[in-house]
Amino acid sequence: MHLSVIIITLNEEKNLSRTLQSLQELKESNLEIEVLVLDSGSTDRTESIAKESGAKFAVQNWLGYSNQKNHALTITSGNWVLFLDADEELSRELSREIELVVRSSDPTKAFALKRKTFYLGRLLNYAWYPDVKTRLVNRGSNPEWVGEIVHEDLVLKSSGVSIFTLESPLIHYSYRNINHHFEKTLNYAKLSAEDYFLRNKKFHYWNLFLNPLVAFIRLYFLRQGFRDGFPGLVAGFSTFFYTFLKYALLKELNSNRQN
């Protein structure tokens, strides 16, 4: 069976080696593996790292998250496709599960992966987990990425395809430190506010008070983020901060439109 692994990049020299190295077990499984790194103009060592690993390297000017990944589909040939981000790493157990899926070659099934975040020196077993994302699909399911401003989603346009979730985690190195974390949180809040604004979502003042509190309670207490110690507390506060900023920025956009 033939598996294409797709990774889109821009200046990912700090992450890419780890991601590519985590594919080694799959490469040793006697599956036919094609790894594509689709770059959008890196100025660091991303290209040399990709080529040194034996990956196919291609450049495409940025089309947006969904269109970039859809373009990658057109220049790969595997009957199974695995989408990875450059800050993700396959666990050994997950590699074995993926191998079994690809060998089964059942086009009526697609598979979601459970992301587990590595943050502030430890894996978080509760906060942000399981962050379930559909990533492993048969090309016969007619996969297509949709959405743009905030988060893109992989949809399967063929009928009769069922999505199952693999058990072993996909490790996510989303934040280098607290400063990097909150820089990205602010950026996501801006993007979310823009998305709401374009969809004419109404702002209410209670959004600034109730929604952040609910978001904190859900992550920290209901999902037991407190069991992750200090990193879990920071994660809980970040979701409060993100939700508050999202609605505050939406209010600002609405006010600017009215002026």
Side-chain angles (χ1 to χ4, degrees):
M1 292 297 105
H2 187 183
L3 172 67
S4 293
V5 181
I6 291 174
I7 307 167
I8 64 170
T9 57
L10 176 64
N11 293 330
E12 289 287 357
E13 68 176 7
K14 293 180 179 179
N15 290 312
L16 187 59
S17 293
R18 179 179 56 230
T19 304
L20 293 171
Q21 181 61 36
S22 76
L23 298 173
Q24 191 60 36
E25 182 146 337
L26 275 176
K27 290 181 177 179
E28 293 172 357
S29 66
N30 294 321
L31 292 175
E32 187 178 353
I33 306 288
E34 169 191 36
V35 180
L36 169 68
V37 174
L38 181 61
D39 193 69
S40 53
S42 291
T43 56
D44 62 2
R45 296 187 58 251
T46 296
E47 179 176 0
S48 60
I49 291 169
K51 290 181 175 178
E52 286 167 8
S53 76
K56 174 183 176 183
F57 184 84
V59 178
Q60 169 61 55
N61 291 335
W62 185 243
L63 301 171
Y65 288 104
S66 292
N67 288 334
Q68 197 80 355
K69 292 178 180 180
N70 288 331
H71 175 69
L73 279 169
T74 68
I75 56 175
T76 51
S77 58
N79 55 325
W80 282 91
V81 184
L82 172 64
F83 292 93
L84 292 177
D85 292 341
D87 60 357
E88 295 172 341
E89 176 185 26
L90 297 181
S91 61
R92 294 177 65 87
E93 297 79 9
L94 181 57
S95 293
R96 296 188 187 104
E97 287 192 70
I98 291 171
E99 179 189 353
L100 291 175
V101 166
V102 174
R103 290 193 187 282
S104 74
S105 192
D106 187 344
T108 67
K109 294 180 180 179
F111 295 86
L113 309 183
K114 297 189 291 188
R115 295 202 300 183
K116 180 177 286 192
T117 301
F118 186 89
Y119 182 52
L120 298 182
R122 61 181 291 181
L123 285 170
L124 304 189
N125 294 315
Y126 300 94
W128 299 321
Y129 181 77
D131 181 18
V132 179
K133 305 287 185 184
T134 302
R135 294 293 191 81
L136 179 61
V137 297
N138 191 285
R139 198 176 291 267
S141 65
N142 198 11
E144 180 180 0
W145 288 90
V146 299
E148 192 50 49
I149 293 181
V150 186
H151 294 295
E152 68 279 15
D153 292 305
L154 183 58
V155 299
L156 309 175
K157 299 171 69 176
S158 296
S159 60
V161 179
S162 299
I163 299 175
F164 300 85
T165 302
L166 298 182
E167 285 301 315
S168 303
L170 174 67
I171 309 304
H172 189 203
Y173 296 83
S174 50
Y175 309 116
R176 295 190 299 273
N177 48 46
I178 292 175
N179 184 68
H180 181 233
H181 177 186
F182 279 82
E183 284 179 354
K184 291 183 73 172
T185 298
L186 175 59
N187 186 54
Y188 287 143
K190 290 178 179 178
L191 293 173
S192 295
E194 291 170 6
D195 180 57
Y196 282 177
F197 180 73
L198 291 175
R199 294 194 282 120
N200 294 313
K201 184 175 178 66
K202 301 297 183 183
F203 168 83
H204 303 282
Y205 275 99
W206 54 261
N207 293 138
L208 291 175
F209 303 100
L210 182 59
N211 291 52
L213 184 59
V214 169
F216 177 84
I217 290 172
R218 181 185 297 118
L219 185 143
Y220 194 67
F221 292 107
L222 299 183
R223 298 182 66 174
Q224 302 183 59
F226 64 88
R227 298 180 68 178
D228 286 317
F230 177 67
L233 179 61
V234 177
F237 180 74
S238 75
T239 196
F240 181 99
F241 177 68
Y242 161 78
T243 308
F244 177 86
L245 276 180
K246 175 174 62 176
Y247 286 105
L249 291 165
L250 174 63
K251 170 62 175 172
E252 181 181 51
L253 290 170
N254 285 336
S255 296
N256 290 341
R257 177 164 57 183
Q258 294 168 5
N259 293 336

